[in-house]
Amino acid sequence: MDWGSLQAILGGVNKHSTSIGKIWLTVLFIFRIMILVVAAERVWGDEQQDFVCNTLQPGCRNVCYDHFFPISHIRLWALQLIFVSTPALLVAMHVAYTRHEKKRRFRNGEKINIEELKNEKIHIRGPLWWTYTSSIFFRIIFEAVFMYVFYYMYDGYQMPRLVKCNAWPCPNTVDCFVSRPTEKTTFTIFMLAVSGICIVLNLAELCYLVIKICTKESRKTA
Amino acid sequence: MDWGALHTILGGVNKHSTSIGKIWLTVLFIFRIMILVVAAERVWGDEQDDFVCNTLQPGCKNVCYDHFFPISHIRLWALQLIFVSTPALLVAMHVAYRRHEKKRQFRKGGQKCEYKDIEEIRAQRFRIEGSLWWTYTSSIFFRLVFEAVFMYAFYFMYDGFQMPRLMKCSAWPCPNTVDCFVSRPTEKTVFTIFMIAVSSVCILLNVAELCYLLTKFFLRRSKKAGNAKHHPNHENKEETKQNEMNELISDSCQNTVIGFSS
């Protein structure tokens, strides 16, 4: 169960998305998940091994590392990607439920073609519109929350080269040096930028859906 | 044989689950197994290498690590996930047994030739009734028991769910008392609490599913008691019609939440 399985699950949801939704999914998989797996994980791979403190005191390095990096960037990004992908499953569940209801009506004797039902593209209308819109709303919320958590936890998006640590058992104040700070800053800014693009795509999709429903309502009344 | 294989096995069981069961399976795979594989295993990856003790005494670090971490969190979670997934196989076995019986009847050329060929028997989705209901309900009960037992085991073994930064160790051969420092304690605490929270969500889903099944069972019983009074032959016709419907739509029952790859 890894990123590939998540892609398989979300690939099915793609069928019922708008065009902007499909672009969002592509950006998610190629510019975020793939970058995370092929590049970012290697950059952060030696983060604790090569976190060096200017002391011989055993335990000082562990404690300082834990103090400055409560949760690693990589784990935060993995959690962010999982949480941001999950609202799409609400849509998948709603579609599955709609199909199930149609089959139930078929069982009760209504005339519906079963083959059509299997391949039918369900349009984003009625209660599905609400589910889809809530899923986009939750996506935006999760993205924003994680971006804020990053900013709050690491005092900005830049990785410092040097951190000064005086947590016990370190004697007085100790200089600790972070491994690959520039590369980490580059990737952090890159992932932040792509998060920003995803938020913009989600907002655009939200606006598109709202405009669509408003024009449909005005056409109905006219 | 890895988590992917478990996914394949349980995906098949998904077809015969209730909606709550399907949600439970999604939560299990995405919020537990996936988090374990992509995140938690890296956090605990260097747990012994970066477990540092303030001593030069050889063997002290090993002994202290073994004393404070008899079984690693990662292994406990892996065991928990396997034990919790396994009762679903009871349901799979029961379904397989029913299919086998129907195939046997079909081959013997029984009176009720409801199926055109063996393929339809294979693809049929069974309703959760009769003996299958008992199997399904026991599987949920066992899931609940396993979840609770493992959560208690975690709590008991590690004195709560927080990972301390420092452990004082005085096991032989460590001289007197030695300070030992755990690697990444905050990150570990965060993930432990996350996994406990998702376990609790799964327990709630299982309890909800159990209540749903019990309610359905009692409603069906009261309906049957009502029907038996007014229509003694109605039930058989209903069942035959149900089986015909099931045949026709059984192969379109692919759109489960997990199996969306089609």
Side-chain angles (χ1 to χ4, degrees), chain A residues 1 3 12 41 47-48 57-59 61-62 65-66 70 72 75 82 86 89 99 103 107 114 168-169, chain B residues 29-31 33-34 42-43 46 50 54 165 179 181 183-187 191 245 249 252 255 260:
Chain A
M1 191 68 203
W3 296 115
E41 278 185 353
E47 51 176 337
Q48 192 169 346
Q57 172 64 47
R61 191 186 73 123
N62 279 32
Y65 178 81
D66 184 62
S72 169
R75 257 69 71 185
I82 290 171
T86 317
L89 296 177
R99 285 216 173 103
K103 277 174 210 156
R107 266 186 225 142
I114 270 301
W168 186 89
Chain B
F29 278 111
I30 296 184
F31 289 98
I33 296 181
M34 196 166 168
R42 312 287 164 94
V43 177
D46 57 5
D50 283 337
N54 188 1
R165 263 189 191 179
D179 289 336
F181 300 88
S183 154
R184 310 180 200 252
T186 310
E187 207 167 357
F191 274 95
M245 297 297 181
I249 62 179
S252 64
N255 280 334
F260 254 103

Side-chain angles (χ1 to χ4, degrees), chain B residues 12 15 35 41 57 78 108 163 186 188-190 195 199 204 209 220 233 236:
Chain B
K15 211 162 58 167
I35 294 280
E41 277 184 353
Q57 172 66 48
K108 278 185 181 172
M163 181 69 77
T186 310
K188 287 179 179 172
T189 306
V190 168
M195 295 294 269
S199 264
L204 284 172
E209 200 177 1
R220 204 178 295 140
N233 290 327
N236 280 337

Side-chain angles (χ1 to χ4, degrees), chain B:
Chain B
M1 190 69 200
D2 58 359
W3 294 115
L6 188 72
H7 185 182
T8 314
I9 294 170
L10 291 182
V13 171
N14 204 20
K15 211 162 58 167
H16 309 284
S17 302
T18 60
S19 313
I20 305 176
K22 289 173 186 167
I23 296 172
W24 172 83
L25 212 66
T26 310
V27 169
L28 184 82
F29 278 111
I30 296 184
F31 289 98
R32 295 176 81 176
I33 296 181
M34 196 166 168
I35 294 280
L36 185 79
V37 171
V38 310
E41 277 184 353
R42 312 287 164 94
V43 177
W44 269 265
D46 57 5
E47 52 177 333
Q48 192 167 353
D49 283 334
D50 283 337
F51 182 77
V52 169
C53 290
N54 188 1
T55 180
L56 291 172
Q57 172 66 48
C60 177
K61 188 184 95 143
N62 282 31
V63 163
C64 291
Y65 178 80
D66 185 62
H67 181 255
F68 288 109
F69 301 103
I71 306 177
S72 169
H73 287 62
I74 293 285
R75 259 68 72 185
L76 271 176
W77 281 323
L79 284 171
Q80 179 179 17
L81 290 168
I82 290 172
F83 272 86
V84 150
S85 314
T86 318
L89 297 177
L90 285 175
V91 177
M93 281 188 241
H94 191 133
V95 164
Y97 171 74
R98 268 207 193 167
R99 281 211 179 110
H100 178 79
E101 284 296 303
K102 289 205 169 163
K103 277 181 201 163
R104 210 169 48 86
Q105 280 176 11
F106 177 79
R107 277 191 206 116
K108 278 185 181 172
Q111 291 169 341
K112 283 188 185 174
C113 267
E114 307 148 359
Y115 305 102
K116 292 193 188 104
D117 58 30
I118 235 130
E119 285 306 313
E120 282 184 25
I121 301 176
R122 209 174 284 164
Q124 187 190 17
R125 180 183 172 230
F126 290 97
R127 287 172 69 83
I128 303 172
E129 287 166 343
S131 50
L132 185 61
W133 184 91
W134 287 101
T135 310
Y136 195 84
T137 315
S138 341
S139 80
I140 298 177
F141 178 74
F142 281 119
R143 269 188 229 166
L144 278 166
V145 168
F146 288 140
E147 291 270 21
V149 163
F150 274 94
M151 277 173 84
Y152 177 72
F154 259 105
Y155 187 82
F156 177 75
M157 229 184 247
Y158 293 105
D159 274 329
F161 300 121
Q162 198 192 11
M163 181 69 77
R165 263 189 191 179
L166 163 73
M167 293 169 160
K168 291 191 183 286
C169 175
S170 55
W172 186 88
C174 302
N176 309 305
T177 303
V178 162
D179 289 336
C180 290
F181 300 88
V182 178
S183 154
R184 310 180 200 252
T186 310
E187 207 167 357
K188 287 179 179 172
T189 306
V190 168
F191 274 95
T192 305
I193 291 171
F194 180 86
M195 295 294 269
I196 294 287
V198 187
S199 264
S200 315
V201 167
C202 285
I203 287 179
L204 284 172
L205 285 169
N206 284 330
V207 168
E209 200 177 1
L210 209 54
C211 295
Y212 167 74
L213 286 168
L214 286 168
T215 311
K216 208 165 112 170
F217 177 73
F218 286 121
L219 283 174
R220 204 178 295 140
R221 257 184 132 179
S222 53
K223 233 187 260 177
K224 269 191 186 170
N227 273 346
K229 278 185 200 166
H230 301 114
H231 303 282
N233 290 327
H234 187 63
E235 223 177 88
N236 280 337
K237 286 182 195 167
E238 277 275 329
E239 273 189 34
T240 321
K241 192 180 174 191
Q242 187 65 66
N243 282 335
E244 282 174 22
M245 297 297 181
N246 277 349
E247 277 172 54
L248 288 165
I249 62 179
S250 62
D251 62 342
S252 64
C253 282
Q254 299 284 338
N255 280 334
T256 57
V257 172
I258 290 287
F260 254 103
S261 49
S262 59

Side-chain angles (χ1 to χ4, degrees), chain A residues 72-100:
Chain A
S72 169
H73 287 63
I74 293 285
R75 257 69 71 185
L76 272 177
W77 281 324
L79 284 171
Q80 181 180 16
L81 290 168
I82 290 171
F83 274 87
V84 149
S85 315
T86 317
L89 296 177
L90 285 176
V91 176
M93 283 187 232
H94 191 132
V95 166
Y97 173 74
T98 313
R99 285 216 173 103
H100 180 78

Side-chain angles (χ1 to χ4, degrees), chain A residues 2 27 48 71 84 130 144 169 179-180 201 203 212 220:
Chain A
D2 58 359
V27 168
Q48 192 169 346
I71 308 176
V84 149
W130 287 101
S179 152
R180 310 178 201 252
L201 284 169
L203 284 168
K212 201 167 118 171
K220 269 189 190 168

